[in-house]
Amino acid sequence: DKNYALDVVINILVRKGIVVVAAAGNDNIEAAECTPNAWTGAIIAGATDRTGAKASFSNYGKGVTVWAPGQSVIAASNDCLDCSEAASGTSFASPYTAGVVALLLQAKPNLKPAQVSDILKSMAVRGKLKGLDPASPNLFVQAPDHVVQRGSVQKFKNKGVGFTDKLNMAFISKSCPKSVKDEIDNLPPVASSD
C-alpha cells in the first residue's frame, strides 16, 4: 500500500542527511508500489531464503535496493531470557542491512544517504541470487572484512551471525502531524565530508 505522508517524511529525512533502511514488505508484489520504496531515498531490503533465492513472500523489483537473509532467521524470543525462534519476513532483512549501514557510518560518519546506498551496492555480492525478476537488483548485502572493526563485531561475524544495530525509527502511519514535520524540518544538516 502507498502511504504518501510516510513517503514525504522519509524523503525529508534523507534530504536532511539521515540514512533510512526499511523492509521491502511481505506481499510478493513490486516493492515500488508500496511505501516506503527506493524512490524515497531509503535503502530497501528484500528477503532471501537459506538457498540464496528470493523468499516467496518478499516484495521485489525496482523498489528494492539490496537483498539480505529474511527467512527462517534465528532471533530472540520473548518466551524467556535466553529463548530463540526461527522467524521470517523482510523485517529481518532490514536490520541485517541496517547493521552493515551502521558499520559503514561508524567508519565514515559524514557519508550522505546516497553515498551509503552506493557503497552498500558496490560491496554487495553480485549475480548469485536465484528466483529474482529482471527488475530486481541481484545484490546480496555484505560487510567486507575491511569495513568490519576488530573486536566483538568480528567475533559475531566469524560465527555467521547477522549484524543489527539499535537505530530504530517509528512513524505514525496514515498521517504526519505538523509537529513531527516541524521537528524533521528543523534537524541540522549532516556535516559535509568535503
Side-chain angles (χ1 to χ4, degrees), residues 107-161:
K108 295 190 174 224
N110 293 328
L111 290 173
K112 303 215 179 330
Q115 293 171 308
V116 171
S117 181
D118 289 345
I119 292 169
L120 189 68
K121 290 185 276 190
S122 73
M123 292 186 326
V125 175
R126 297 176 176 278
K128 300 290 186 185
L129 298 173
K130 302 175 281 189
L132 299 179
D133 72 298
S136 292
N138 198 319
L139 302 172
F140 187 78
V141 71
Q142 71 168 348
D145 287 337
H146 71 276
V147 174
V148 179
Q149 301 294 317
R150 300 291 178 229
S152 62
V153 173
Q154 184 66 38
K155 290 177 193 169
F156 285 119
K157 183 177 184 295
N158 289 340
K159 292 180 182 178
V161 175

Side-chain angles (χ1 to χ4, degrees), residues 73-87:
V73 175
I74 303 302
S77 167
N78 62 359
D79 290 340
C80 69
L81 289 176
D82 58 352
C83 292
S84 62
E85 62 186 354

Side-chain angles (χ1 to χ4, degrees), residues 18-74:
I18 297 170
V19 178
V20 177
V21 179
N26 303 320
D27 299 310
N28 193 31
I29 61 173
E30 167 60 63
E33 302 299 319
C34 304
T35 294
N37 66 62
W39 306 122
T40 63
I43 295 168
I44 307 299
T48 61
D49 66 17
R50 290 178 179 256
T51 70
K54 174 194 159 297
S56 62
F57 53 80
S58 181
N59 288 357
Y60 55 85
K62 61 188 176 188
V64 173
T65 309
V66 292
W67 298 86
Q71 188 166 350
S72 300
V73 175
I74 303 302

